Amino acid sequence: MTTTGPGAGRGDGDGGGPAGWRLFRGDGRARTTEFPQAPPWRRFGGAADGGTRRPRPYLIGPAEADVVSAALLLRRPLLVTGQPGTGKSSLAHAVAHELSLGRVLHWPVNSRTTLQDALYRYDAIGRLRETNLRRDRDDGAVPDDGPGIGSYVRLGPLGTALVPSPRPRVLLVDELDKGDVDLPNDLLNVFEEGEFEIPELARLPEEQARVRVMTADPHSWTEVDRGRVCCSEFPVVVITSNGERDFPPAFLRRCVRLDLPEPDEERLREIVRAHLECAGSAADGGLESVDDLMRAFLARRARGELATDQLLNAVFLRRGGVDLDADGLLDAVLHRLGGTV
């Protein structure tokens, strides 16, 4: 694509002009439309890199950065709290990018999440089905070939993070407070020991002690010896929480706590400037045109919850020629996270 913003040509035969950013008209007419380039924070990797997230500007204060460094030195999980939109999840990607630690392993938590989901999955039904199919093909004879048990074992994000490696992996445990009340306690032993067992592999005979299994990385396998996975370097574990529930003291004792504050106006301007540079826009003098958006954002944030990326969305649209003052569009972009505007 050669376009650079929402105000670029539509390619629909109707010409450009002030309304050129309107990809969807709502008039029922089919068009062939060329999509403009997405905002930098909404661009993703392709299949070739396994969907690796592209590096994006991430700015926090020196005091917060020191807390991150302390967790890295102590090899302790970093428990990150703060309001929605303060960059809790993005911090894991920033650490991975700055320290060249590769792809972030992502474990999103919900009310049905269990520890085993994060460690490994064993597809016993799939293995049984494959065995029955081969038995039917061989007229009832017990098959002596086919995929081994390792083809039916896949490590989860936490299990993959504990695979021995010369450099630690980054694991993002997203919104742990949404999980079951016992989940933090279930994690304690794994975090303390840095290892876990896969019973289905531990029961195998000695001649099958080493088994190749799939990992959470795309098209990646690793060897597991006697059913145990034990890290050589404790992973960089970033745990996010929106404060919906308190964690037990035993869990908190094993974490380093970081509370991300909402960025003030100066920090917001630094964030916007960094993203404008990432978008290929001239940052010098580029913020004066969005002063009114900054004031509107700060005023609305005082009344309710707003996220920093909502300000970035508004700035991106404004600099692409979108009239945010028309028909309540600004209200749609800067809507309160806790309810209606």
Side-chain angles (χ1 to χ4, degrees):
M1 294 183 183
T2 57
T3 52
T4 58
R10 293 167 302 194
D12 59 10
D14 292 341
W21 65 273
R22 291 188 171 92
L23 302 178
F24 177 72
R25 307 285 186 79
D27 58 9
R29 292 176 52 196
R31 302 173 178 84
T32 300
T33 301
E34 181 182 356
F35 275 69
Q37 191 174 43
W41 52 94
R42 293 299 299 165
R43 299 172 193 167
F44 303 93
D49 58 11
T52 302
R53 181 170 176 170
R54 298 180 185 277
R56 303 163 193 177
Y58 187 85
L59 302 176
I60 58 174
E64 290 80 17
D66 286 347
V67 175
V68 176
S69 293
L72 296 174
L73 292 172
L74 294 171
R75 306 302 200 272
R76 287 291 187 181
L78 180 69
L79 176 59
V80 187
T81 58
Q83 293 296 320
T86 51
K88 299 187 294 297
S89 300
S90 298
L91 177 58
H93 296 274
V95 171
H97 171 63
E98 286 196 20
L99 302 183
S100 301
L101 297 179
R103 175 178 176 270
V104 173
L105 296 162
H106 186 203
W107 178 23
V109 176
N110 58 50
S111 60
R112 299 177 301 279
T113 297
T114 66
L115 176 59
Q116 183 163 333
D117 294 333
L119 293 176
Y120 77 98
R121 289 285 187 93
Y122 172 54
D123 187 6
I125 296 176
R127 189 183 185 203
L128 177 61
R129 183 184 298 115
E130 179 69 20
T131 301
N132 290 336
L133 288 173
R134 290 177 176 273
R135 181 181 290 115
D136 293 341
R137 183 197 64 185
D138 298 334
D139 297 327
V142 177
D144 57 2
D145 60 349
I149 187 174
S151 298
Y152 303 95
V153 176
R154 180 164 196 152
L155 301 182
L158 176 54
T160 301
L162 294 174
V163 170
S165 61
R167 289 172 62 76
R169 295 295 302 271
V170 178
L171 171 68
L172 170 60
V173 184
D174 218 359
E175 298 187 328
L176 182 62
D177 52 329
K178 292 187 181 299
D180 184 83
V181 65
D182 292 325
L183 185 57
N185 283 327
D186 295 340
L187 283 167
L188 291 180
N189 187 63
V190 177
F191 283 165
E192 281 299 292
E193 303 299 329
E195 66 176 8
F196 69 97
E197 182 182 77
I198 303 176
E200 292 85 355
L201 303 185
R203 293 193 293 262
L204 295 175
E206 185 64 27
E207 60 270 18
Q208 300 178 37
R210 297 184 68 84
V211 179
R212 275 172 49 85
V213 303
M214 295 178 286
T215 73
D217 290 317
H219 316 296
S220 178
W221 295 67
T222 190
E223 280 197 343
V224 176
D225 188 16
R226 293 176 175 82
R228 297 201 70 80
V229 177
C230 182
C231 67
S232 53
E233 280 286 342
F234 188 76
V236 177
V237 180
V238 178
I239 303 171
T240 71
S241 169
N242 290 322
E244 295 184 7
R245 192 181 68 243
D246 293 332
F247 296 119
F251 177 81
L252 293 175
R253 180 173 66 84
R254 289 163 171 83
C255 297
V256 175
R257 178 79 174 267
L258 172 63
D259 186 50
L260 288 179
E262 290 186 319
D264 57 17
E265 181 175 353
E266 180 180 355
R267 180 55 50 80
L268 284 172
R269 289 184 176 274
E270 292 175 356
I271 292 172
V272 171
R273 183 177 294 109
H275 279 84
L276 290 180
E277 292 173 347
C278 183
S281 302
D284 294 337
L287 296 184
E288 287 78 0
S289 63
V290 297
D291 278 345
D292 61 323
L293 295 181
M294 183 73 70
R295 290 192 296 269
F297 178 84
L298 291 171
R300 291 167 184 247
R301 192 176 69 173
R303 298 199 306 266
E305 298 174 347
L306 288 179
T308 303
D309 60 350
Q310 291 175 280
L311 174 61
L312 294 174
N313 292 338
V315 171
F316 181 80
L317 292 174
R318 166 68 63 77
R319 292 179 65 83
V322 177
D323 182 8
L324 291 172
D325 298 323
D327 301 324
L329 187 54
L330 183 62
D331 289 339
V333 177
L334 298 184
H335 63 86
R336 291 181 57 186
L337 302 181
T340 57
V341 177

